[in-house]
Amino acid sequence: MKIAVVSDNIYMAHAFKNILAKQMPHVSAHYFCSTFSNPKEFNIQNVQSIDIKKYYTNLIEKFNLIFSIHCKQIFPKELVERVRCINVHPGYNPINRGWYPQVFSIINNLETGATIHEMDAELDHGNIIARKKIAIKSWDTSLSLYNKIVETELELLEKHIISIVEKTYTTITPESEGNVYLKKDFNALLHIDLQKKASYKQVINHLRALTHGEFKNAYFVDSETNKKVFVKVILEVEHE
Ligand code: 0FX
């Protein structure tokens, strides 16, 4: 079995490597990041950068199982059709396909979770190997929910990595086409129109969905200086 792992997420790449080493010490994998990342930052031996769009045929020639562990480049149709490709997705398919799923779950009141699935030519779309829902609390922000999602992705990987490598798993076909959100949909959420009328619930949901640590996401434009003013919320639930 010749395994490639393509990741643009340093934390996830290391966690995946540890799970594989623990569960299948005899199995090794070759690590790549896409053009979105700098391989030096990964601190993984022999990690290489690959432009998947241009050089995917190299992957077809050399590997027979490829994991996409938060890889930001789209896998071409020919690649997913010629090699078994598995995606670990920070959303519950088919409800949350696409970019930053927890953000859209909070805003649009959709369930969320984590999914491992076989890849096909469409985004976050193939047959599902494992998935798990996560309850969204009214005090969750994008960051607190994201942290729970990432831990759930790793829990699913721990549980299913052997069956994935050995190809002994069964799959479920997604129930519907679900929802797909793209980076442009996320960008469209960032500018807050101060004249827009909304309920407190909508406002809090919008702001907590865009509150993610140090990221400067939501903003309004100050009318005097024309400068962006970034907004985030702090939510704290009382202790019993
Ligand atoms: O690696 P990842 O967690 O995942 C993203 C997509 O959500 C996922 O669907 C795709 N399969 C994968 C390849 O890329 O993304 P990240 O590390 O860039 O961001 C993690 C979270 O940080 C994100 O869910 C929301 C938050 N964030 C990130 C950026 C760059 C922000 O709130 N603002 C930002 O500007």
Side-chain angles (χ1 to χ4, degrees):
M1 181 61 63
K2 291 182 185 131
I3 303 175
V5 179
V6 196
S7 179
D8 288 305
N9 185 305
I10 297 169
Y11 177 80
M12 288 296 290
H14 279 269
F16 180 91
K17 196 165 181 281
N18 291 339
I19 290 171
L20 190 64
K22 193 172 116 198
Q23 304 259 352
M24 308 187 86
H26 52 288
V27 172
S28 63
H30 197 106
Y31 286 79
F32 295 91
C33 63
S34 84
T35 48
F36 283 87
S37 304
N38 176 357
K40 288 191 189 120
E41 289 174 3
F42 278 75
N43 204 13
I44 292 178
Q45 223 186 356
N46 300 328
V47 67
Q48 273 176 289
S49 168
I50 183 167
D51 184 339
I52 300 171
K53 210 171 155 189
K54 275 195 195 153
Y55 299 111
Y56 69 90
T57 48
N58 291 352
L59 294 174
I60 295 177
E61 280 159 23
K62 293 196 184 113
F63 299 99
N64 46 23
L65 175 62
I66 303 174
F67 285 91
S68 158
I69 306 293
H70 293 208
C71 167
K72 286 194 158 62
Q73 266 192 305
I74 306 263
F75 281 25
K77 188 170 188 282
E78 198 189 339
L79 176 60
V80 297
E81 286 176 354
R82 303 251 320 258
V83 182
R84 188 160 60 98
C85 295
I86 307 290
N87 185 34
V88 177
H89 176 60
Y92 189 88
N93 288 4
I95 299 173
N96 321 115
R97 297 166 54 202
W99 210 246
Y100 303 168
Q102 77 284 354
V103 170
F104 297 95
S105 285
I106 294 174
I107 289 178
N108 297 324
N109 196 22
L110 296 168
E111 290 178 292
T112 197
T115 306
I116 303 179
H117 66 95
E118 291 181 334
M119 293 168 81
D120 64 15
E122 286 176 65
L123 189 64
D124 304 321
H125 186 261
N127 286 335
I128 294 162
I129 298 166
R131 62 183 172 179
K132 188 174 172 185
K133 284 184 184 162
I134 294 166
I136 304 177
K137 302 293 186 190
S138 65
W139 58 87
D140 269 322
T141 60
S142 169
L143 178 62
S144 67
L145 193 51
Y146 178 77
N147 288 340
K148 289 184 249 184
I149 291 170
V150 163
E151 292 321 305
T152 305
E153 288 178 282
L154 299 177
E155 183 191 316
L156 292 179
L157 270 172
E158 290 253 8
K159 209 163 150 193
H160 296 277
I161 189 91
I162 295 176
S163 73
I164 293 171
V165 171
E166 293 178 349
K167 209 183 171 199
T168 52
Y169 57 84
T170 52
T171 59
I172 357 172
T173 309
E175 295 79 3
S176 67
E177 291 302 302
N179 306 289
V180 189
Y181 297 105
L182 305 176
K183 195 158 183 221
K184 66 175 165 53
D185 300 313
F186 175 76
N187 290 339
L189 298 170
L190 304 183
H191 182 192
I192 293 168
D193 174 359
L194 292 177
Q195 304 310 321
K196 190 176 166 182
K197 293 212 166 18
S199 67
Y200 279 108
K201 188 175 177 178
Q202 286 168 326
V203 171
I204 290 175
N205 281 348
H206 196 97
L207 294 179
R208 72 192 179 103
L210 294 173
T211 295
H212 197 111
E214 295 307 308
F215 285 116
K216 290 185 165 70
N217 291 328
Y219 68 90
F220 63 85
V221 177
D222 175 64
S223 57
E224 273 176 32
T225 60
N226 231 9
K227 286 192 170 176
K228 286 181 183 176
V229 179
F230 292 99
V231 189
K232 52 180 96 153
V233 285
I234 296 172
L235 301 172
E236 200 178 317
V237 64
E238 69 172 349
H239 290 295
E240 307 219 327

